[in-house]
Amino acid sequence: MMYPPVRLIALDLDGTLLDEEKKIPDQAVQMIVKAKEKGIIVTLASARPFCSMLPYARQLQLDTPLISLSGSYVTDEREERIWLKRPMNLLKFREMVRIFEEENYYVKVYLENQLIVQQATKETVNYSRIFGVPYTVLGPKKLRTLEKAPLRIALFDDSIRIRNAQQILKTWSDDFAVIRDTDHGLEIVEPTVSKGAALKIICCGLGIPMENVMAIGNEGSDISMIREAGIGIAMGNACEELKQCADDVTKTNEECGVGYAIQKFVFKESLK
């Protein structure tokens, strides 16, 4: 099948561009450099906060706006121009998080570059260290007192309690968008937020038609941008739902699937 020429590449980070050691494989770096030399714009789209994405953007010398917090915050590398910022309704957030606090769910609340938690669990400390995100501890049942509207919430528990959380959130279907990436986790954002919607805003601002975009991802939060892009690529390690809506499936993140996809769809090179 013939696709329009690629003018912009949007890459998810974890499970996509990054290997299991949270590093960009050398082959992927080389292919991204080669694409940039051809005049192709490269951006990153992640559930991570902006500050956690920045080291990778700098490694790749990207000067394009980055999609962080699953599409709720889009800004350039210096945070000088905010392209998009979509916080939740603060009152609705407080109502909702009160229920999850009462039910003792592990809730992570994200501002632009900060994580807010009830207590510093081992998971919180490890996440902060590995992902480079500072955290603030409010104390038990204090998330409901937050005075600044969050941009993203992550909820973690066993699969049964996560299904129960999904049922609870149906009450707020007009107020929040809910993505279930794994059996043990939910992601909650403002209802108009998605990586796909954020990608469209960037492309509109840069004058690039969506048919000239290649997007690559592996999880539920990537589905919107895979569908919006002219070429939507699923990683070999992607969830089944994403593979079903993708135009093609590349290799896994451990096999440098991103470099493989760029080689195939941007440079039309024969693959080994």
Side-chain angles (χ1 to χ4, degrees), residues 225-242:
M225 72 173 184
I226 297 300
R227 283 181 169 150
E228 292 288 356
I231 308 174
I233 307 294
M235 297 296 291
N237 52 289
C239 66
E240 199 54 41
E241 189 182 356
L242 189 141

Side-chain angles (χ1 to χ4, degrees), residues 126-198:
N126 286 340
Y127 175 87
S128 178
R129 176 179 57 81
I130 294 167
F131 288 82
V133 181
Y135 66 88
T136 298
V137 177
L138 285 190
K141 300 185 179 178
K142 291 290 179 63
L143 292 176
R144 67 190 71 170
T145 67
L146 204 65
E147 294 184 357
K148 188 174 181 182
L151 291 159
R152 176 178 178 262
I153 302 169
L155 209 66
F156 295 98
D157 217 302
D158 65 56
S159 58
I160 293 171
R161 277 170 57 84
I162 287 297
R163 281 201 296 273
N164 291 340
Q166 280 184 292
Q167 290 300 315
I168 291 169
L169 284 162
K170 285 182 178 177
T171 311
W172 284 283
S173 58
D174 293 335
D175 305 300
F176 305 106
V178 180
I179 301 161
R180 184 171 179 178
D181 270 340
T182 70
D183 286 342
H184 300 282
L186 282 183
E187 178 176 55
I188 306 165
V189 289
E190 193 268 348
T192 64
V193 163
S194 71
K195 287 185 181 180

Side-chain angles (χ1 to χ4, degrees), residues 2-6 8 10 210-216 225-234 246-248 261 265-266 268:
M2 289 293 292
Y3 292 99
V6 175
L8 184 145
M210 290 304 293
E211 66 177 13
N212 298 113
V213 174
M214 179 169 77
I216 311 177
M225 72 173 184
I226 297 300
R227 283 181 169 150
E228 292 288 356
I231 308 174
I233 307 294
D247 296 301
D248 200 70
F265 288 98
V266 175
K268 321 288 186 188

